[in-house]
Amino acid sequence: IISLAAEELDVESYVIGGFVRDHLLQRGDPKDIDVVAVGSGIELAKKVSELLSHKPKVQVFKNYGTAMLRAFDMEIEFVGARKESYSEDSRNPVVENGTLQDDQNRRDFTINALALSLNKNNFGELLDPFNGLEDLKSQIIRTPLDPDVTYSDDPLRMLRAIRFAAQLGFRIEKESLKAIRENKDRIKIISKERIVDELNKIMLSEKPSVGFALLHKTKLLKLILPELTALEGIDEIEGQRHKDNFWHTLEVVDNISENTDDLWLRWAALLHDIGKAPTKKFHKKIGWTFHGHEFVGAKMVYKLFKRLRLPLNEKMKFVQKMVLMSSRPIAIVDDNTTDSAVRRLVFDAGDNIEDLMTLCEADITTKNPKRFDRYHN
Ligand code: CTP
């Protein structure tokens, strides 16, 4: 239908981006399709709607020159092929009309620049100027143009590269990693909401430690979640050492993630030890202690949520409670779910966070009333 509509308007059209990538990777049910028209994307969307029997409403975003309609259980987004140029202080580009090649040039990664033709003369042909197909096969994240330019133009792409590496199990090309490290400070122009969106996607990937280790390696993590990087390192005094709480945390997150897809339980695992950096002390008699880290950690969660503009609602309270109980999610990890009380706590609730929170409340008030009161007072 899109092809027919484009033919009627006498414009070229292509499917591009995530849909093509995921189709080639045979990855899940697509939820959206991006269509590029070499001409007006808005006109093409209107024509497609006319041709569809249910005449879906076309949402037009005039400022962006894009339009969207819902059909076949998907959101179909239309955009005119464009050429972009960026200024220093914004990730919003100056846009001009362009060719398909211009549009592919402006894309973040070679695997996201693949286009499928919807035109009559070469319908279904894959247009792949940057060898994206090869990169899909060899599982590499690479930028179409100079990585320094791609990341500096739109620093959100640094997080996207890491997110795709985590989600797809791909590796980031060396030049790209270097460019991310060099451009890391530009992350400051990205909104907190977008940063959190990408963090959540990393958190929901199969093995979140992959993404967090890359954030650490590129030094982005220190800029986004300094509370976590503060946990890194092992100190030794009088021959006594403590564990590296940063790498331990990543193990905990992976282990939790094998047991639950719940985003907030995963956040709780990530933050469960953050109180340990500010409470670390060495006592001559007892060695290393992190006395009170649960309470300090729970307060830090509040500040961290506020800073990242994460909602200060029941979910945050849930994460705080898990941090306050501190060793609870860890117990699942450390001895591979031998702690039956913790197992029950998590698994009885399934992935239903509300039930889980009720269970946690019950657990704190009945088993650890003192801890609970001390924190709330
Ligand atoms: N894109 C880009 N730079 C960005 C964001 C997006 O070049 N900062 C391009 C990519 O070609 C991408 C397409 O726009 O494939 C669509 O972006 P988006 O819907 O955000 O991502 P997808 O690649 O579709 O992946 P996902 O749906 O998993 O987020």
Side-chain angles (χ1 to χ4, degrees):
I1 286 183
I2 300 171
S3 177
L4 280 178
E7 205 183 326
E8 276 193 34
L9 294 177
D10 198 21
V11 295
E12 287 173 31
S13 66
Y14 303 85
V15 179
I16 196 160
F19 178 90
V20 183
R21 176 197 71 223
D22 289 345
H23 172 73
L24 291 167
L25 288 172
Q26 299 177 321
R27 206 171 158 249
D29 278 337
K31 290 190 189 67
D32 40 47
I33 303 189
D34 292 304
V35 174
V36 170
V38 184
S40 164
I42 296 172
E43 290 311 312
L44 180 57
K46 288 181 181 162
K47 181 56 94 184
V48 170
S49 172
E50 259 175 59
L51 295 183
L52 284 166
S53 54
H54 69 297
K55 310 275 179 269
K57 188 170 170 304
V58 177
Q59 258 180 289
V60 174
F61 307 95
K62 250 199 167 148
N63 292 349
Y64 296 100
T66 64
M68 192 273 284
L69 58 81
R70 281 175 229 277
F72 315 109
D73 270 341
M74 281 186 288
E75 289 189 352
I76 311 182
E77 178 126 7
F78 296 83
V79 62
R82 56 172 66 169
K83 204 173 171 172
E84 292 181 342
S85 48
Y86 287 81
S87 62
E88 255 289 295
D89 55 348
S90 165
R91 61 175 290 265
N92 298 323
V94 179
V95 171
E96 319 164 44
N97 293 340
T99 61
L100 173 71
Q101 175 80 46
D102 290 330
D103 203 87
Q104 287 174 300
N105 284 341
R106 76 176 175 91
R107 303 272 160 178
D108 51 3
F109 308 117
T110 59
I111 59 168
N112 286 345
L114 293 161
L116 275 176
S117 166
L118 297 175
N119 308 311
K120 212 173 172 186
N121 58 343
N122 61 349
F123 189 91
E125 187 181 320
L126 188 68
L127 294 126
D128 178 16
F130 309 110
N131 277 329
L133 192 58
E134 224 17 73
D135 290 345
L136 267 188
K137 284 186 192 147
S138 36
Q139 309 196 313
I140 290 184
I141 311 278
R142 199 163 56 86
T143 57
L145 306 177
D146 177 355
D148 216 40
V149 175
T150 300
Y151 295 116
S152 153
D153 277 354
D154 177 1
L156 179 66
R157 291 170 169 171
M158 304 192 284
L159 293 184
R160 283 174 60 89
I162 293 174
R163 184 256 287 192
F164 283 120
Q167 283 180 325
L168 305 174
F170 282 22
R171 78 184 161 79
I172 301 174
E173 193 213 17
K174 223 167 137 198
E175 297 296 303
S176 252
L177 272 180
K178 185 165 166 264
I180 295 176
R181 222 176 281 127
E182 279 164 9
N183 285 287
K184 65 178 188 318
D185 293 317
R186 290 199 36 81
I187 197 73
K188 62 175 184 284
I189 70 165
I190 303 298
S191 76
K192 298 282 192 299
E193 287 77 4
R194 283 185 188 272
I195 291 177
V196 165
D197 269 357
E198 297 300 326
L199 284 183
N200 284 345
K201 286 180 182 170
I202 291 172
M203 197 82 102
L204 289 173
S205 65
E206 203 177 314
K207 207 169 166 216
S209 67
V210 171
F212 284 102
L214 282 168
L215 286 171
H216 176 258
K217 187 172 177 178
T218 53
K219 307 219 186 309
L220 279 166
L221 194 60
K222 192 163 185 198
L223 301 175
I224 301 171
L225 291 171
E227 296 87 346
L228 271 189
T229 48
L231 294 174
E232 198 191 3
I234 302 174
D235 287 321
E236 182 169 340
I237 296 184
E238 294 177 5
Q240 299 202 54
R241 293 154 65 89
H242 60 78
K243 66 181 174 219
D244 185 312
N245 285 304
F246 173 69
W247 294 103
H248 157 76
T249 290
L250 296 194
E251 273 176 43
V252 172
V253 177
D254 280 354
N255 250 291
I256 286 285
S257 305
E258 282 174 21
N259 292 299
T260 177
D261 290 334
D262 189 292
L263 176 65
W264 301 102
L265 195 51
R266 291 182 177 201
W267 266 103
L270 186 75
L271 303 182
H272 81 274
D273 261 355
I274 51 171
K276 281 193 172 169
T279 55
K280 182 162 85 174
K281 287 196 180 67
F282 184 80
H283 280 284
K284 273 201 162 5
K285 283 188 188 149
I286 39 179
W288 290 105
T289 77
F290 303 92
H291 186 69
H293 74 86
E294 301 92 333
F295 309 106
V296 171
K299 287 186 181 167
M300 287 169 77
V301 168
Y302 173 78
K303 286 194 183 151
L304 188 149
F305 267 56
K306 208 168 168 192
R307 187 185 76 234
L308 290 182
R309 300 205 198 106
L310 275 156
L312 301 178
N313 58 17
E314 293 306 304
K315 312 287 189 204
M316 179 208 64
K317 286 192 196 149
F318 166 76
V319 175
Q320 279 188 314
K321 277 177 194 161
M322 290 306 257
V323 170
L324 196 59
M325 295 196 294
S326 200
S327 54
R328 298 229 152 260
I330 308 150
I332 299 177
V333 167
D334 284 346
D335 50 24
N336 221 353
T337 62
T338 52
D339 180 332
S340 59
V342 178
R343 268 181 76 148
R344 239 177 289 125
L345 181 72
V346 175
F347 288 103
D348 282 1
D351 277 337
N352 185 329
I353 195 106
E354 308 306 329
D355 289 355
L356 190 55
M357 285 169 58
T358 316
L359 279 169
C360 289
E361 180 91 55
D363 192 77
I364 297 175
T365 44
T366 56
K367 286 195 188 147
N368 284 313
K370 277 201 190 124
R371 273 183 167 199
F372 192 61
D373 288 350
R374 209 170 122 197
Y375 173 67
H376 279 271
N377 293 338

